């Protein structure tokens, strides 16, 4: 495969208009980078645009940005209704469901649409970048850019390098994230849970165990950890990122380490998932958000 040259990122495509997708779009818009948003559900794209507009309105109200700046940011967002609209993009970030086969199918389709120099990235929090890229004709241009929720506020981004990822691509993304998006990128090798999700497993699973055993309550756990310096406790954080997303990450790490007991997700989390209690996005999770 030809070596992928360093390039300027002027046009970014985002696939998936859920919580993470719209957050990543807002990150780009705040830097007035032309960003194209696609989702199979057109109404999700419309809702994402309204959400971003509301977030920017709050920034205007708090005098963080001017009305003119807000309008420029909104003008940088381009809703699209087909993948072909990404043919001019320099970078595409996928933020869809955490299912390997679905992601693989998407990237195979994208390769037929974009230029040979377009960088393709997944925002996966738990799946193998190497395995996703295994179906691609040119896996050298594939890596993960794992943003954290809420993407506009969280500075950290994991730059995950797969077995075949071109090192120039990874370095370019690291520089771009830091200099253009003003993020804090950290380079990571493709491994179960990457860094943050692997480190965070005890943060979540032990909290479940303590509450299930009757030692304490969810509100007490969250308050104690906030008092200790965390921005959020584990139950607040799960509601924010989505209990389904957190559970998928937990299962991925658990299975990748041959079902090591200390990494086993708690049954109560699976029960919440089966009950449709996913956190803020369903208005109910560990807490209610009516």
């Amino acid at each position: 495969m030809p070596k992928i040259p360093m390039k300027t990122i002027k046009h970014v495509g985002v696939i998936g208009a859920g919580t993470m997708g719209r957050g990543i779009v807002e990150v780009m818009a705040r830097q007035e980078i032309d960003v194209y948003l696609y989702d199979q559900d057109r109404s999700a794209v419309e809702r994402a645009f309204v959400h971003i507009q509301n977030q920017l309105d709050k920034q205007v109200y708090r005098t963080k940005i001017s009305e003119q700046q807000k309008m420029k940011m909104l003008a940088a967002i381009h809703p699209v209704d087909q993948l072909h609209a990404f043919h001019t993009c320099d970078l595409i970030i996928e933020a869809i469901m955490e299912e390997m086969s679905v992601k693989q199918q998407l990237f195979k389709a994208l390769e037929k649409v974009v230029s040979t120099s377009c960088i393709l990235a997944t925002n996966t929090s738990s799946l193998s970048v190497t395995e996703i890229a295994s179906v691609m004709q040119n896996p050298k241009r594939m890596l993960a850019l794992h943003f954290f929720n809420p993407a506009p506020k969280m500075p950290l981004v994991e730059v995950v390098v797969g077995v075949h990822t071109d090192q120039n691509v990874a370095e370019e993304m690291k520089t771009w994230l830091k200099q253009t998006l003003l993020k804090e990128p950290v380079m990571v090798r493709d491994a179960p849970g990457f860094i943050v999700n692997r480190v965070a497993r005890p943060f979540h699973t032990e909290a479940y165990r303590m509450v299930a055993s009757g030692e304490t309550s969810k509100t007490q756990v969250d308050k104690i950890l906030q008092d200790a310096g965390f921005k959020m406790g584990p139950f607040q954080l799960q509601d924010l990122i989505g209990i389904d997303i957190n559970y998928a990450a937990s299962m991925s790490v658990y299975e990748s380490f041959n079902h090591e007991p200390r990494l086993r997700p708690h049954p109560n989390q699976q029960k919440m998932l089966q009950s449709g209690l996913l956190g803020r996005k369903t208005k109910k999770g560990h807490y209610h958000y009516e």
Side-chain angles (χ1 to χ4, degrees):
M1 294 293 179
K3 185 176 181 180
I4 298 175
M6 297 285 280
K7 59 188 293 186
T8 302
I9 306 297
K10 293 182 179 179
H11 303 283
V12 176
V14 175
I15 301 176
T19 302
M20 282 308 306
R22 73 191 185 197
I24 294 169
V25 168
E26 185 178 338
V27 170
M28 306 301 164
R30 285 177 179 271
Q31 301 303 323
E32 298 179 22
I33 297 170
D34 279 320
V35 55
Y36 301 81
L37 176 60
Y38 170 81
D39 194 294
Q40 287 184 325
D41 181 359
R42 291 191 182 186
S43 64
V45 175
E46 294 171 2
R47 291 194 299 271
F49 188 85
V50 171
H51 174 83
I52 294 169
Q53 187 173 28
N54 290 338
Q55 293 301 107
L56 296 180
D57 281 339
K58 291 177 184 178
Q59 293 291 299
V60 172
Y61 178 77
R62 296 168 183 162
T63 67
K64 300 289 186 181
I65 60 175
S66 67
E67 181 70 22
Q68 185 179 18
Q69 286 175 310
K70 183 196 82 171
M71 296 308 295
K72 286 183 177 179
M73 292 174 186
L74 290 175
I77 303 173
H78 309 283
V80 299
D81 58 9
Q82 55 183 341
L83 292 180
H84 184 71
F86 293 134
H87 72 280
T88 60
C89 287
D90 307 301
L91 165 68
I92 294 176
I93 303 173
E94 163 273 313
I96 63 173
M97 65 179 71
E98 290 286 79
E99 290 189 18
M100 179 62 70
S101 62
V102 177
K103 290 183 187 290
Q104 288 178 327
Q105 290 172 14
L106 174 61
F107 283 105
K108 284 177 69 175
L110 282 172
E111 279 198 300
K112 298 175 182 178
V113 172
V114 301
S115 69
T116 56
S117 62
C118 179
I119 297 171
L120 300 177
T122 173
N123 184 63
T124 184
S125 60
S126 58
L127 299 179
S128 167
V129 177
T130 302
E131 187 175 351
I132 294 174
S134 66
V135 299
M136 294 173 56
Q137 292 182 350
N138 183 7
K140 287 187 175 184
R141 56 158 142 186
M142 170 73 187
L143 77 168
L145 299 180
H146 182 209
F147 290 77
F148 292 85
N149 194 18
K153 294 182 180 180
M154 296 293 282
L156 183 67
V157 179
E158 290 179 318
V159 181
V160 186
V161 179
V163 170
H164 300 293
T165 304
D166 188 311
Q167 192 62 34
N168 282 349
V169 171
E171 291 295 339
E172 178 180 4
M173 288 294 94
K174 179 181 177 181
T175 300
W176 178 73
L177 286 163
K178 192 171 186 66
Q179 295 183 356
T180 303
L181 298 190
L182 309 179
K183 294 294 186 180
E184 289 296 332
V186 57
M187 299 289 280
V188 185
R189 289 288 179 186
D190 191 13
F194 310 143
I195 295 178
V196 174
N197 267 315
R198 184 173 174 184
V199 170
R201 287 315 95 207
F203 181 73
H204 296 290
T205 55
E206 192 60 30
Y208 271 108
R209 293 188 186 110
M210 291 178 67
V211 172
S213 67
E215 296 176 49
T216 184
S217 67
K218 294 178 180 180
T219 54
Q220 287 176 318
V221 171
D222 283 342
K223 184 179 185 304
I224 289 169
L225 286 169
Q226 282 184 299
D227 290 344
F230 287 88
K231 292 289 185 182
M232 289 184 171
F235 299 109
Q236 294 168 318
L237 181 59
Q238 287 170 36
D239 276 0
L240 177 65
I241 65 178
I243 292 167
D244 53 337
I245 301 299
N246 183 271
Y247 182 75
S250 297
M251 282 300 298
S252 178
V253 174
Y254 176 56
E255 291 171 352
S256 297
F257 283 95
N258 298 315
H259 297 175
E260 189 171 324
R262 68 183 179 87
L263 296 172
R264 182 186 299 120
H266 197 276
N268 285 353
Q269 188 175 20
Q270 186 178 21
K271 289 178 182 177
M272 294 188 71
L273 182 66
Q274 293 168 340
S275 301
L277 302 174
L278 307 183
R280 289 180 180 270
K281 60 187 172 184
T282 58
K283 305 298 183 183
K284 291 181 180 179
H286 296 295
Y287 303 102
H288 286 208
Y289 301 93
E290 296 296 341

